[in-house]
Amino acid sequence: MAVSTVLAGARVVLPTGIVENGRVIVDGGRIAGSAPADAPALDLTGHWVVPGFVDMHNHGGGGASFTSGTVDEILTGVQTHRLHGTTTVVASFVTGEMDFLGRRAGLLSELAEQGDIAGIHFEGPFIAPCRKGAHDETLLRDPDPADVRKLIDAARGQAKMVTLATELPGGIDSVRLLAEHGVVAAIGHTDATYEQTVEAIDAGATVATHLYNAMPALGHRTPGPIAALLEDERITVELINDGTHLHPAALELAFHHAGPRRVAFITDAMDAAGFGDGLYSLGPLAVEVKDGVARLVEGGSIAGSTLTLDRAFKRAATIDKLPVDSIVQAVSANPARVLGIDDRVGSLEPGKDADLVVLDADFDVKGVMRKGNWVVEPHLA
């Protein structure tokens, strides 16, 4: 049960910047502006306190798939990511039969209503066959607005995002439909030109699904979707910072052009995240994870990741040398804003949920709190 406590002495990352020797006051399940006189204090000198991570693109973990797992398995996957600092997670589906996706959406909407997940993301089936990545090509279809509407209706108000190849027939009308219903239209797994991408943004698309991956490369005569997505202030770009999906220079390019307020780190995690190497399934496709890299058994395409957001955070701080407050925006504030839940999560401010992560000086997780309860109890040296 959540109790009042004061986290003291840490470097605290607030929306206004980094506070040395800061204090975070937790009262029940929320962050408070003041503490009772008898509230216990936890000395976190030498540590960081940052907001709980928000993953808006995640297919599973701990051996469990959000697309096909049972309720217990899904909760295992959610808990796996919580142990790594992700206190808010959107469950992403891979391509499947429409009826199957509708049934799964109904099941996961109950978990969203209970607060176990933050909503549902449909990554497919409305994507380009030539940019399918780890999706079953036989199940792909054009983004007919009627089909898109079926899926968001099946999610009973819990659909947060739909990834589309907006250049396909029905794509622009589907973007408009999603915007009208308050669902994020994300451009991804696309073969769109620069001009087609601009048209989709003007129609209401606001996210680039794992920028660079599953889309045409940036060209000097045919800039394609990447240039359009980076240059437009209305777009938040997802990045998978695992050292496999992106070269560090591509990451730097995105931060330079989009700026820290428009980057969202995601995991795009599949079952193996937090679980280990071996054979897995991603929807109907077989995946082999070797040395932490997931690839389709047939064809060898990268099949999601085994990433957790704490690893993305540490890599950004230690290898990419990004400012810590910019990393916090990418793993917490920006995805919360995109999902429309930044009134509750994504930053350490009075009145918001007491979701936070304690990191040591090497950016390793030492504590995780969700709604005022310790998921990982700090054990400090």
Side-chain angles (χ1 to χ4, degrees):
M1 186 176 191
V3 296
S4 297
T5 190
V6 177
L7 311 181
R11 302 178 79 183
V12 179
V13 182
L14 301 176
T16 53
I18 297 170
V19 178
E20 302 286 346
N21 193 25
R23 286 159 48 95
V24 177
I25 301 166
V26 176
D27 187 8
R30 297 189 179 276
I31 297 171
S34 60
D38 60 349
L42 177 62
D43 184 5
L44 294 176
T45 300
H47 292 74
W48 294 85
V49 174
V50 301
F53 309 148
V54 179
D55 193 353
M56 66 185 203
H57 186 156
N58 186 318
H59 296 279
S65 165
F66 296 152
T67 300
S68 59
T70 66
V71 168
D72 287 344
E73 288 169 342
I74 292 166
L75 293 177
T76 294
V78 170
Q79 179 66 8
T80 297
H81 286 280
R82 285 181 185 169
L83 295 173
H84 291 272
T86 299
T87 51
T88 302
V89 63
V90 169
S92 299
F93 292 155
V94 294
T95 293
E97 294 279 4
M98 286 289 293
D99 288 346
F100 171 79
L101 292 175
R103 292 194 301 272
R104 295 298 297 178
L107 174 67
L108 267 71
S109 67
E110 296 180 12
L111 297 180
E113 290 160 2
Q114 295 167 190
D116 296 306
I117 60 174
I120 299 166
H121 164 217
F122 296 97
E123 188 184 17
F126 312 115
I127 61 177
C130 63
R131 302 288 177 180
K132 66 182 185 302
H135 291 253
D136 186 343
E137 184 172 356
T138 66
L139 299 177
L140 302 182
R141 58 176 60 210
D142 290 338
D144 185 300
D147 287 338
V148 174
R149 179 64 186 267
K150 286 178 184 176
L151 291 186
I152 62 175
D153 285 350
R156 302 201 310 247
Q158 300 301 328
K160 288 293 184 180
M161 184 161 66
V162 178
T163 293
L164 311 102
T166 53
E167 75 279 7
L168 295 176
I172 297 301
D173 286 340
S174 290
V175 168
R176 295 193 182 101
L177 172 74
L178 291 167
E180 290 169 2
H181 285 81
V183 179
V184 173
I187 300 172
H189 288 275
T190 177
D191 202 42
T193 64
Y194 174 90
E195 291 76 15
Q196 289 170 327
T197 305
V198 169
E199 182 184 12
I201 296 169
D202 287 340
T206 56
V207 165
T209 293
H210 43 55
L211 186 75
Y212 300 113
N213 300 116
M215 60 181 63
L218 182 65
H220 64 291
R221 292 193 182 93
T222 53
I226 294 172
L229 294 165
L230 282 177
E231 72 184 8
D232 199 299
E233 292 292 324
R234 293 169 290 183
I235 293 292
T236 297
V237 297
E238 295 182 345
L239 297 176
I240 308 171
N241 192 28
D242 61 353
T244 298
H245 282 78
L246 298 176
H247 189 283
L251 180 87
E252 195 280 333
L253 180 71
F255 263 91
H256 177 76
H257 284 279
R261 286 187 54 81
R262 290 179 46 223
V263 172
F265 281 162
I266 61 164
T267 61
D268 196 18
M270 46 82 72
D271 315 19
F275 203 66
D277 289 357
L279 293 174
Y280 296 86
S281 296
L282 189 61
L285 303 179
V287 175
E288 181 180 14
V289 177
K290 185 176 181 180
D291 298 327
V293 178
R295 294 186 180 274
L296 290 182
V297 171
E298 184 176 341
S301 293
I302 295 176
S305 84
T306 62
L307 187 63
T308 50
L309 278 180
D310 59 332
R311 286 170 45 211
F313 193 118
K314 180 169 182 171
R315 181 180 177 86
T318 61
I319 296 176
D320 303 311
K321 305 297 184 183
L322 294 173
V324 172
D325 51 352
S326 294
I327 302 169
V328 167
Q329 286 183 283
V331 297
S332 302
N334 296 342
R337 172 180 48 78
V338 168
L339 296 170
I341 55 176
D342 53 333
D343 59 328
R344 296 185 285 109
V345 300
S347 60
L348 300 176
E349 297 177 88
K352 292 192 177 183
D353 290 350
D355 291 0
L356 56 87
V357 182
V358 179
L359 303 170
D360 65 14
D362 296 320
F363 301 101
D364 291 318
V365 171
K366 293 300 178 181
V368 180
M369 177 181 284
R370 184 174 187 271
K371 297 185 184 300
N373 294 302
W374 289 111
V375 178
V376 177
E377 187 87 28
H379 294 287
L380 309 176

